[in-house]
């Protein structure tokens, strides 16, 4: 029994709780191979990563975040970034963005064949300090170098803003701050801003408040949401974002990627569960759920772990 | 997201984090008196108060593989009684031949503490079960209908109509004794046998249950297949049919059923999860500024207790995030 709602709702309440107009199409950005695998305890061999991405390429997904050009000293799980980038089948019509934290990473990425990159900002000063040892302002200055090089090479850049609904160090984050950082990154030239609830702490009300502030500075067509399911709120938060006009949603196959801030907790929302919901809402995503589930099964076997996707759990014959 | 930070150990403990956030503040100890008709919270348009009906001890435990001893059931319910939950479904007066997990219904009913202000409904599928429940001290009962003929047949071996007739007997006796009856409609968003269920059918069954005297109708997405769109269509159909209940029900009060630790798998999809976890619902409602009167921490503790007893991991994401194997801070 997923949820039971009794009929004690009065008309105003049911109207208020009413599901509003949704976008007709949603672009699903698959972050499993990067954000997912980066946050899994088990390090996965290169051929497995390549096969994962190749299988994802067959599902109808249009964007698959492939890897991260970060020093292996910091992120050993992504040490094989060049081999992965060069080893995957790059199907036409599919984008394979990679993370590039600085100019050096950007250059390595382009040399390895990357055609799209991502940069990561944060709405929290403390998070930025702990993460990359500088202020938000300084981090954006570093990214400026990447933006300039990307522009010269005609490479699109996607911007991420972390901690949009809460920070593991600072706690509460103001919607105004999220809007400010988003605006800066958008003005710098990012074609899309992915707003990340990094610790999954947000609830539909705070999501709505944050998006309202951000949408004053960045057009909704350029916004994406990246919700973590650490507190079981991801789909509810995504639903609210869709109702407000957001039409790009990040997710991770099999819900790969735990939360580094709460041991044992879950992280990314599972792509299967997102697609199930979109299908139910009649929203076109272009993704074949069965093929996606098969891909999830593959990577979970490789990682020797159970899936975090409820849809997969319900569908597997255990 | 981004690179994994090196200064992990300096991040806030989950307790600090949760306390800091406005929406995880200490809740009011008991629910407010009946809200004003149509009263809504702030600008969100949501009710100010939502009543949570805890179904873990019955629906949850009934659908767990491990059968839990009577003492453990009583302890669980007693712990839940201290959380602020206004209603806790205790057990089921069904033949132990069908539901062995609930064989100790009499002992549980007699053994639990009864906290003032908390309702302790029990399932009573027929008149016999009803009498047995009353004899054991029950003061509220529930009857389970379904929006699917196939489900009704497979589950209780009779048609919807026949089941309604049985419930009418229960409702009549209950009325004579001033015992409130809660009605459930299963398969509201889909049936494991029939598949799609039309909203009008849900509305029709709901109306029958309401007409016989059920004070509340709980609409169950039994196999969890529903999505927000199908939920909306089903509710619209039901509300239209039951518009008159708006006058009678407490205005602005919405009610949600959930199960501590998300107890109770799905008997129709092996390995799948079942009930939504009470902790996760409360977390969301707290975040929305909706009062539930329930203390999230005490529910998490009750969840931890029963999962230990069942030797299983919690299905609540909030509990997973909070009861770390090794605290970060």
């Amino acid at each position: 029994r997923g949820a039971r709602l009794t009929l004690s709702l009065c008309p105003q309440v049911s109207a208020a709780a009413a599901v509003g107009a949704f976008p007709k199409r949603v672009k699903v950005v698959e972050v499993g191979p990067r954000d997912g695998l980066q946050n899994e305890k088990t390090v996965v061999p290169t051929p497995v990563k390549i096969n994962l991405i190749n299988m994802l390429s067959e599902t109808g997904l249009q964007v698959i975040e492939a890897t991260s050009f970060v020093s292996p000293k910091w992120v050993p799980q992504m040490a094989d970034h060049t081999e992965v980038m060069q080893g995957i089948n790059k199907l036409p019509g599919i984008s394979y963005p990679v993370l590039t934290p600085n100019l050096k990473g950007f250059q390595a990425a382009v040399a390895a064949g990357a055609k799209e990159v991502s940069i990561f900002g944060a709405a929290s000063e403390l998070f930025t300090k702990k993460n990359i040892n500088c202020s938000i302002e300084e981090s954006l200055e570093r990214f400026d170098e990447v933006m300039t090089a990307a522009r010269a090479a005609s490479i699109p850049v996607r911007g991420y803003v972390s901690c949009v609904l809460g920070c593991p160090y600072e706690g509460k984050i103001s919607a105004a701050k999220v809007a400010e950082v988003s605006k800066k990154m958008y003005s710098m030239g990012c074609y899309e801003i992915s707003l990340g609830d990094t610790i999954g702490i947000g609830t539909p009300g705070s999501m709505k408040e944050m998006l309202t502030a951000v949408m004053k500075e960045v057009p909704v067509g350029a916004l994406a949401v990246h919700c973590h399911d650490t507190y079981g709120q991801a789909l509810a938060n995504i639903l609210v974002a869709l109702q407000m006009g957001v039409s790009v949603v990040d997710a991770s196959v099999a819900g790969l990627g735990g939360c580094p801030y709460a041991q044992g907790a879950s992280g990314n929302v599972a792509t299967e569960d997102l697609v199930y919901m979109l299908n139910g809402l009649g929203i076109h995503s272009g993704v074949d759920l069965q093929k996606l589930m098969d891909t999830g099964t593959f990577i979970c076997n490789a990682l020797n772990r159970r899936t975090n996707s409820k849809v997969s759990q319900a569908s597997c014959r255990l | 997201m981004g690179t994994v930070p090196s200064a992990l150990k300096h991040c806030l403990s989950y307790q600090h984090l949760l306390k800091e956030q406005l929406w995880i503040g200490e809740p009011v100890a008991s629910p407010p008196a009946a809200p004003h008709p149509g009263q809504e919270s702030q600008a969100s348009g949501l009710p100010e108060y939502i009543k949570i009906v805890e179904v873990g001890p019955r629906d949850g435990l009934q659908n767990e593989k491990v059968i839990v001893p009577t003492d453990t059931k009583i302890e669980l319910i007693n712990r839940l009684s201290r959380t602020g939950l206004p209603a806790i479904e205790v057990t089921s007066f069904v033949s132990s031949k069908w539901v062995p997990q609930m064989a100790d219904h009499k002992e549980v009913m007699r053994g639990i503490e009864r906290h003032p202000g908390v309702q302790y409904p029990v399932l009573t599928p027929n008149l016999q079960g009803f009498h047995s429940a009353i004899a054991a001290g029950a003061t509220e009962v529930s009857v389970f209908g379904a929006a699917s003929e196939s489900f009704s047949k497979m589950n209780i071996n009779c048609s919807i109509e026949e089941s309604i007739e049985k419930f009418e007997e229960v409702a009549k006796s209950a009325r004579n004794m001033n015992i409130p009856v809660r009605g459930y409609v299963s398969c509201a968003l889909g049936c494991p046998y029939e598949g799609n269920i039309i909203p009008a059918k849900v509305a029709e069954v709901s109306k029958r249950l309401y007409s016989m005297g059920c004070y509340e109708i709980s609409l169950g997405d039994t196999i969890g297949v529903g999505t927000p769109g199908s939920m909306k269509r089903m509710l619209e159909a039901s509300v239209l049919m039951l518009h008159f209940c708006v006058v009678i029900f407490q205005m602005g009060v919405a009610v949600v059923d959930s199960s501590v630790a998300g107890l109770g798998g799905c008997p129709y999809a092996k390995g799948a999860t079942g009930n939504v976890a009470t902790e996760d619902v409360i977390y969301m409602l707290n975040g929305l500024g909706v009062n539930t009167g329930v203390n999230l921490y005490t529910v998490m503790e009750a969840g931890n207790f029963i999962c230990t007893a069942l030797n299983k991991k919690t299905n609540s994401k909030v509990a997973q995030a909070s009861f770390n194997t090794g605290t970060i801070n």
Side-chain angles (χ1 to χ4, degrees):
Chain A
R1 285 143 247 258
R4 297 200 195 119
L5 217 57
T6 73
L7 287 179
S8 326
L9 298 174
C10 67
Q12 290 101 305
V13 172
S14 62
V19 155
F22 291 108
K24 294 220 167 17
R25 312 180 85 89
V26 161
K27 179 172 94 181
V28 176
V29 174
E30 172 61 45
V31 300
R34 204 281 308 164
D35 192 11
L37 291 183
Q38 181 173 311
N39 288 299
E40 287 289 328
K41 286 189 287 280
T42 315
V43 178
V44 144
T46 310
V48 171
K49 285 190 180 113
I50 290 173
N51 195 38
L52 169 65
I53 295 167
N54 289 346
M55 284 184 83
L56 289 168
S57 291
E58 302 290 333
T59 62
L61 285 161
Q62 296 170 262
V63 186
I64 302 164
E65 199 178 52
T67 186
S68 181
F69 282 79
V70 175
S71 161
K73 191 173 48 165
W74 299 121
V75 188
Q77 299 93 327
M78 299 285 125
D80 54 2
H81 39 64
T82 304
E83 292 88 337
V84 169
M85 203 62 214
Q86 289 174 340
I88 56 174
N89 293 337
K90 296 204 191 84
L91 299 197
I94 301 182
S95 186
Y96 300 91
V98 300
L99 243 74
T100 53
N102 48 39
L103 191 60
K104 184 167 161 220
F106 174 80
Q107 286 160 345
V110 172
K115 297 274 184 287
E116 181 177 326
V117 301
S118 310
I119 57 172
F120 264 77
S124 156
E125 286 291 354
L126 213 47
F127 185 85
T128 307
K129 187 108 189 90
K130 301 281 190 189
N131 227 18
I132 51 180
N133 201 23
C134 64
S135 69
I136 296 179
E137 190 60 43
E138 286 163 344
S139 74
L140 294 179
E141 279 163 24
R142 286 185 203 175
F143 293 140
D144 229 359
E145 293 186 308
V146 176
M147 299 305 306
T148 309
R151 212 169 6 250
S154 293
I155 290 199
V157 181
R158 189 186 205 226
Y160 282 87
V161 181
S162 303
C163 299
V164 300
L165 298 179
C167 170
Y169 305 103
E170 278 186 25
K172 191 154 171 40
I173 294 292
S174 79
K177 189 70 184 175
V178 180
E180 182 197 321
V181 176
S182 304
K183 182 182 182 174
K184 284 208 175 101
M185 293 182 78
Y186 186 67
S187 313
M188 280 166 66
C190 293
Y191 76 90
E192 196 168 88
I193 307 295
S194 174
L195 302 164
D197 181 11
T198 306
I199 46 174
I201 205 165
T203 46
S206 60
M207 169 64 86
K208 189 172 177 197
E209 192 195 332
M210 182 275 295
L211 283 177
T212 303
V214 174
M215 278 162 62
K216 291 194 176 107
E217 309 292 351
V218 180
V220 70
L223 292 177
V225 289
H226 183 115
C227 296
H228 279 195
D229 204 32
T230 317
Y231 294 90
Q233 308 298 306
L235 285 180
N237 293 342
I238 290 168
L239 188 68
V240 164
L242 293 174
Q243 284 177 289
M244 292 181 71
V246 172
S247 60
V248 184
V249 182
D250 299 0
S252 176
V253 62
L256 292 180
C259 178
Y261 305 95
Q263 204 171 348
S266 60
N268 288 303
V269 68
T271 315
E272 298 93 315
D273 299 358
L274 169 66
V275 171
Y276 182 95
M277 184 175 78
L278 294 175
N279 286 353
L281 285 165
I283 296 175
H284 178 87
S285 67
V287 180
D288 182 319
L289 183 52
Q290 187 54 58
K291 287 190 178 151
L292 187 60
M293 288 199 284
D294 292 343
T295 309
T297 302
F298 161 74
I299 192 61
C300 287
N301 284 339
L303 282 164
N304 193 27
R305 59 159 284 178
R306 284 193 66 190
T307 181
N308 265 342
S309 155
K310 296 263 175 137
V311 172
S312 275
Q313 277 173 43
S315 311
C316 295
R317 309 273 172 265
L318 291 171
Chain B
M1 289 194 63
T3 25
V4 177
S6 51
L8 222 44
K9 62 182 185 296
H10 299 299
C11 77
L12 301 171
S13 68
Y14 86 91
Q15 287 106 334
H16 185 128
L17 211 52
L18 295 187
K19 278 206 169 70
E20 267 241 332
Q21 306 303 320
L22 290 178
W23 51 83
I24 315 289
E26 295 303 320
V28 174
S30 55
H36 301 309
Q39 187 164 46
E40 292 170 1
S41 97
Q42 313 99 28
S44 67
L46 293 167
E48 280 210 0
Y49 174 73
I50 283 186
K51 173 177 139 190
I52 302 220
V53 176
E54 171 59 46
V55 300
R58 202 285 305 167
D59 192 12
L61 292 183
Q62 181 171 314
N63 287 301
E64 287 288 332
K65 286 190 285 280
V66 174
I67 295 189
V68 144
T70 309
D71 289 345
T72 307
K73 285 187 181 120
I74 291 171
E75 173 68 24
L76 171 64
I77 294 164
N78 289 346
R79 281 169 181 256
L80 291 168
S81 289
R82 294 173 211 135
T83 61
L85 284 162
I88 302 164
E89 200 179 58
V90 169
T91 186
S92 182
F93 282 79
V94 174
S95 160
S96 51
K97 191 172 51 165
W98 300 122
V99 187
Q101 298 93 325
M102 299 284 124
D104 54 1
H105 37 67
K106 288 200 194 80
E107 292 84 348
V108 172
M109 199 69 221
R110 293 207 184 100
I112 56 170
E113 292 165 8
R114 308 280 280 259
H115 289 231
V118 183
Q119 297 163 288
Y120 298 94
V122 300
L123 243 75
T124 53
N126 49 40
L127 201 55
Q128 189 191 359
F130 175 76
H131 287 147
S132 189
I134 298 302
T139 49
E140 181 175 325
V141 301
S142 309
V143 294
F144 261 77
S148 155
E149 285 293 353
S150 313
F151 187 85
S152 196
K153 194 102 188 89
M154 298 294 262
N155 224 26
I156 51 179
N157 201 27
C158 63
S159 68
I160 296 178
E161 190 57 43
E162 286 164 342
S163 72
I164 300 262
E165 280 162 23
K166 286 187 198 171
F167 301 149
E168 265 162 354
E169 292 185 321
V170 172
K172 191 164 164 214
S173 283
R175 198 165 33 246
N176 292 340
M177 297 181 192
N178 278 336
I179 299 270
V181 182
R182 191 182 204 231
Y184 283 85
V185 180
S186 303
C187 299
L189 297 179
C191 169
Y193 309 106
E194 282 181 22
N196 198 31
I197 294 292
I198 58 168
K201 189 70 185 173
V202 179
E204 183 197 317
V205 177
S206 304
K207 188 174 182 185
R208 295 291 300 276
L209 289 172
Y210 185 74
S211 306
M212 74 172 69
C214 293
Y215 75 91
E216 198 169 86
I217 310 295
S218 175
L219 303 166
D221 181 11
T222 305
I223 45 172
V225 275
T227 47
S230 59
M231 171 68 85
K232 182 189 181 209
R233 286 188 289 279
M234 183 273 293
L235 284 178
E236 279 171 346
S238 303
V239 168
L240 279 175
M241 291 282 274
L242 289 161
H243 63 276
F244 49 88
C245 79
V246 158
V247 172
I248 295 150
F249 289 169
Q250 289 191 307
M251 302 284 226
V253 175
V255 185
V256 177
D257 298 1
S258 57
S259 177
V260 61
L263 290 181
C266 179
Y268 306 98
K270 201 169 165 190
T273 57
N275 289 302
V276 68
T278 305
E279 298 92 318
D280 300 359
V281 173
I282 293 171
Y283 182 96
M284 183 179 78
L285 294 176
N286 283 354
L288 285 164
V290 175
N291 186 23
T292 60
V294 183
N295 183 309
L296 177 54
Y297 298 112
T298 51
V299 177
M300 285 201 282
E301 279 164 4
N304 193 36
F305 162 76
I306 191 62
C307 286
T308 306
L310 283 164
N311 193 27
K312 65 166 276 185
K313 279 188 73 185
T314 180
N315 270 339
S316 154
K317 292 266 176 140
V318 172
Q320 271 174 46
S322 310
F323 283 108
N324 330 353
T325 41
T327 19
I328 288 192
N329 199 359

